[in-house]
Amino acid sequence: MVNTTVELRALLAQLLRLSFEFSSRPEMLSLCPLHPSPPKPSLPPSLSLNPKSFNLFSNASLIRTRSLRPKSLKIQSLDAAQLYDYESKVAAQFHDDHMLKIAIIGFGNYGQFLAKTLVAQGHTVLAHSRSDYSKTAQDLDVSFFSDPHDLCEQHPQVILLCTSILSTEPVLKSLPLQRLRRNTLVVDVLSVKEFSKALLLKLLPGYFDVVCTHPMFGPQSAKHGWNGLFFVYEKVRIGSEESRISRCDKLLNIFEKEGCRMVEMSCAEHDKYAAGSQFMTHTLGRVLGMLKLESTPINTKGYETLLDLVGNTAGDSFDLYYGLFMYNKNALETLERLDLAFEALKKQLFGHLHDVVRKQLFGNAEKARTLQEDYAKQAQNGAALVSSSKALRLPKIVRSDDQKAQISDDNSRLKIAIVGFGNFGQFLAKTIVRQGHTVLAFSRTDYSDVAQKLGVSYFSDADDLCEEHPEVILLCTSILSTEKVLRSLPLQRLKRNTLFVDVLSVKEFPRNLFLQTLPLEFDILCTHPMFGPESGKNGWNGLSFVYDKVRVGSDESRVSRCDQFLDIFAREGCRMVEMSCAEHDMHAAGSQFITHTMGRILEKLGLESTPINTKGYETLLNLVENTAGDSFDLYYGLFMYNINAMEQLKRLDMAFESLKKQLFGRLHGVLRKQLFENADKSQVMQEQALLPKPSQNESALTPSLEALNIQKN
């Protein structure tokens, strides 16, 4: 009990001390660290903190305690100096100096896309649109106004027009410009610039500032950020006051801060470079979109390019595309050039096909006639013919000294004979030689000089090549010549367990050809390096290499040889994909044909890079680059040995025709509307002319029909 009493006395003394501290000057309780606390008042001497001096239960003590009861604590102000708070003033000044109040007119897909970054940078964003986007605006921390009058009365510093090309004029005319400040900055983001510049100068008062811009990216192409993407602008009209110049710079700084490549360029210059390339990009993107292209497990770089093109344009509205068509004076010519290029390519394909069929029809008769002539010459010349044939059989072998020394029985290296030493054969030979393998080569054309530079032993005679007993015969011929070349090889001069490998872009055709032509003791490996000299110029890392071990003997040496050959590509970082020939053709043959078709069409158009390429246009240029180095024989082979090629050509043709029909149908609708509107107006004017003219008094009291019509509208 004694301990409890002592504790209570001590607690009471502490409370009394605190009461005195606060009761002395309660109105000056400050929470601001800038103001020191007032000095602590001392307790009266009679109040001792010694617990023994207190008699808690005495009447005198109780009376004394009541008389010293402090006033109730009352906080009258959190910070008496808040109006003079330096930090608050600095923060407010910084916001005013660096942030803008921006009103986005047209809060659709693109307006929302820009708003996210504007808000993230701390700007105040307002929005107005014909559709109700209030919920979306709330989620983005944007103030949405359904009435343009309410928005304009907020006096935004910048009006950012994010409307479609077609709706820009009616939207701009509908804005209550009189409710804005007279020095407001109006900015557009349209894909065509001369049209928007002329429109803004025509409809806006002379005291408004005007900047025409084109962010050359959108929600899809800039989904990973704006860094490195083009932002083109022209300061069409900016007042000379420092505040107006500064405001324009603040707006441009929004895009510069995100890493955009800022390009100041006149509207005329922009349209010269960009309008045509954009129309081309969107046209091909829409055509390919109609084909419903899908990704495969073994996409080539070229096919990936097509998928990227579809992805970059799929999210854009038809209004945007139609606007590019309407407000690009060269659009019709571009369509015609595309049409002509496609027709020329089809003519080239079918012409080649006609030649093949013609040779098949008349080839037998010509062969019979040739055989008869040869037989007659042989009978006349006799031995002379034999000696000349021996002279022609003399081997032409070109080997470097180092190469001669390397031809050995080293089991860790392969001896590979490349049959068909053209562009692709040379491309593969460089890597195979670099890895230390012995490379031989044979081709109908004399590539002896090239072979010597690459460290390859070149043979002009197939018999001589085969007598070197290469472990691997690597066929690098075109699709069309493969059968002829294979049947011309002296297979009897090879070792009976030789491994035959092809690298054709179609797989079921060479598989069946090998199985029908080669002796059973030969091993067969069908492969497709899904890259070439252009797409693989920076290395093979990550590029697909598809293979099918069609027939490989069970001996350990033969299994090991096959693995050694595949290791050439695995060591270079290729993505090794084991897949049946049938499955490969299902995935790849069709996609390759479409890729090469589009690449060849674009090549005929002679596309050129511009200083402000969009991502989509870069895609087209890459596609041309990836396919330009391939021969027409390769393309024709993809056509001949792809059972769906004709159907794909028809689908591509139909998609292009459908797009043109959609464009011209829309254009016809616009013209028809204009024609009938003019007819309706003339009819109203004729009816008004027939009405009796009102007297002066009537005209003073009654508004004219024209005024009524205006009010009604």
Side-chain angles (χ1 to χ4, degrees), residues 44 227 243 270 283 345 485 659:
N227 189 50
S243 61
H270 166 279
T283 298
L345 186 63
V485 170
L659 186 64

Side-chain angles (χ1 to χ4, degrees), residues 105-117:
I105 307 297
F107 202 58
N109 193 27
Y110 198 77
Q112 295 168 27
F113 164 68
L114 293 181
K116 291 173 187 174
T117 299

Side-chain angles (χ1 to χ4, degrees), residues 239-300:
S240 57
E241 294 95 323
E242 186 180 344
S243 61
R244 296 168 80 164
I245 295 170
S246 171
R247 177 181 60 188
C248 177
D249 291 341
K250 286 181 205 174
L251 176 79
L252 296 174
N253 189 50
I254 293 170
F255 298 89
E256 193 169 2
K257 279 177 70 177
E258 297 298 317
C260 289
R261 293 173 63 183
M262 308 297 286
V263 180
E264 188 167 7
M265 179 182 285
S266 71
C267 291
E269 197 176 359
H270 166 279
D271 283 4
K272 172 187 164 187
Y273 288 126
S277 64
Q278 286 182 99
F279 179 68
M280 178 74 73
T281 303
H282 281 265
T283 298
L284 294 180
R286 286 186 169 272
V287 168
L288 293 170
M290 292 177 183
L291 297 180
K292 307 292 183 188
L293 301 184
E294 294 181 355
S295 183
T296 74
I298 50 172
N299 293 341
T300 60

